[in-house]
Amino acid sequence: MRVATFSIAGERRVGIVDLDSQSVAPFDIPVEQAQLGVLALLRRNGAGMPRTLSPLPLAQVELDAPIPLPARNIFCVGKNYYEHAHEFARSGFDSSAGSGAIPQHPIIFSKVPESVVATHSSVLIDPSVSTAIDYEAELAVIIGKGGRGISKADAYDHVWGYTIVNDVTARDLQGKYSQWLIGKSQDTFCPMGPWAITKDEFDLENASVRCFVNDDLRQNSKISLLIFDIPTIISTLSQGITLKPGDIIATGTPVGVGIGFDPPKYLKAGDLVRVEIDGIGTLENRIVERVQ
């Protein structure tokens, strides 16, 4: 099931997407609940899915991020594909490189909720703050059932579904500060979408993630090549941290980010970044210079 958060006539709704008919059928839920996006479905406390109303043409709605304002920071995993771990270690911006290119344990950081924007929204860059803006195409996990001390064997029981995230990063700020939050959490630096899919519809073993900048293919990898798989990530995070429904975990990016080129291929105003994941869809955002 594909579930979209969208707006029509200034009103936010949540509904089931039908790609064959290019339509979305809104759930019959109060407008105030729909403000939460997909999170509204995860907080129904076992009540089941609400009924749907008459479908609307996708062309007539504006897609929002699946969870427009997450309740907590987005959890992220750094250096989680082997080739990317090596390219980042060589870049000179990796504060963890002293421990080796390949991490022994998952590297966890976060992005603030307010950095989330939808597909087709602008990613705003401010040259007075950073001149080294990079892209990172990633699969994101959406937690459906909370828990603490979750075992790897039980991890998928806690997964509701998946979406796409572009972990936009200010590399100069990432290198300047030992913690990555500032460089990762600039306003609009977490494009998410175009919608979410339930875990039963996603072929994790065979799906690939790709990133294009102005139709130039930069990243292309099987998601199954993660260093730390999804059960390991969930188990690691939940050791002492209680995961909650609606938590989002970006699982890491493959080789091909801008910092990996010589010279680096940073994003600039006017660039169009497109992230694709098989079975989910396409997340597309234009880079725009912020007007002071």
Side-chain angles (χ1 to χ4, degrees):
M1 179 173 62
R2 285 175 172 80
V3 180
T5 303
F6 62 94
S7 296
I8 184 167
E11 184 176 279
R12 178 171 289 161
R13 308 298 303 180
V14 183
I16 298 176
V17 175
D18 185 332
L19 293 180
D20 291 335
S21 64
Q22 286 293 293
S23 66
V24 56
F27 288 113
D28 187 12
I29 60 175
V31 173
E32 58 270 19
Q33 291 183 22
Q35 296 302 311
L36 300 174
V38 170
L39 184 56
L41 305 179
L42 305 181
R43 289 183 172 177
R44 288 179 60 80
N45 298 319
M49 285 289 184
R51 72 186 186 98
T52 56
L53 304 174
S54 299
L56 302 166
L58 272 174
Q60 293 183 10
V61 308
E62 180 180 353
L63 291 173
D64 297 326
I67 300 179
L69 184 64
R72 303 205 289 184
N73 282 22
I74 296 94
F75 296 108
C76 304
V77 184
K79 296 171 58 174
N80 202 23
Y81 287 83
Y82 287 99
E83 290 183 86
H84 171 64
H86 284 291
E87 75 172 346
F88 188 51
R90 292 191 301 267
S91 72
F93 289 84
D94 182 8
S95 59
S96 68
S99 301
I102 305 302
Q104 299 301 306
H105 305 282
I107 297 173
I108 305 297
F109 61 94
S110 72
K111 298 172 82 79
V112 299
E114 291 79 7
S115 63
V116 172
V117 293
T119 189
H120 304 308
S121 295
S122 298
V123 171
L124 302 178
I125 61 174
D126 185 347
S128 71
V129 176
S130 172
T131 57
I133 308 300
D134 210 346
Y135 51 86
E136 293 192 1
E138 308 198 14
L139 173 73
V141 176
I142 301 173
I143 295 297
K145 182 175 74 172
R148 183 177 185 274
I150 300 167
S151 70
K152 294 180 185 179
D154 294 336
Y156 283 117
D157 293 339
H158 294 260
V159 174
W160 178 85
Y162 304 94
T163 190
I164 304 172
V165 157
N166 183 357
D167 177 16
V168 181
T169 304
R171 294 295 185 198
D172 41 7
L173 299 183
Q174 185 182 27
K176 180 178 179 179
Y177 302 106
S178 296
Q179 297 284 340
W180 293 355
L181 186 138
I182 293 176
K184 297 282 190 176
S185 293
Q186 301 284 298
D187 294 344
T188 73
F189 273 26
C190 190
M192 182 188 301
W195 38 63
I197 64 166
T198 50
K199 63 183 177 182
D200 58 294
E201 289 213 3
F202 188 57
D203 185 356
L204 186 60
E205 288 304 310
N206 294 305
S208 291
V209 55
R210 293 173 294 277
C211 181
F212 299 81
V213 179
N214 303 325
D215 293 324
D216 178 29
L217 178 61
R218 300 282 183 85
Q219 296 180 281
N220 186 9
S221 175
K222 291 285 189 184
I223 294 170
S224 58
L225 295 177
L226 289 169
I227 297 173
F228 302 106
D229 62 11
I230 290 169
T232 299
I233 295 168
I234 290 174
S235 178
T236 298
L237 278 170
S238 69
Q239 302 308 307
I241 298 175
T242 299
L243 295 181
K244 298 182 179 181
D247 280 344
I248 299 165
I249 307 169
T251 56
T253 199
V255 71
V257 295
I259 194 67
F261 292 89
D262 186 15
K265 295 182 177 181
Y266 294 131
L267 297 172
K268 60 186 184 301
D271 285 344
L272 184 65
V273 183
R274 185 172 83 251
V275 181
E276 301 173 349
I277 295 183
D278 298 327
I280 300 180
T282 301
L283 174 69
E284 188 172 88
N285 300 88
R286 180 79 63 182
I287 309 302
V288 175
E289 186 169 325
R290 181 182 292 277
V291 178
Q292 300 298 329

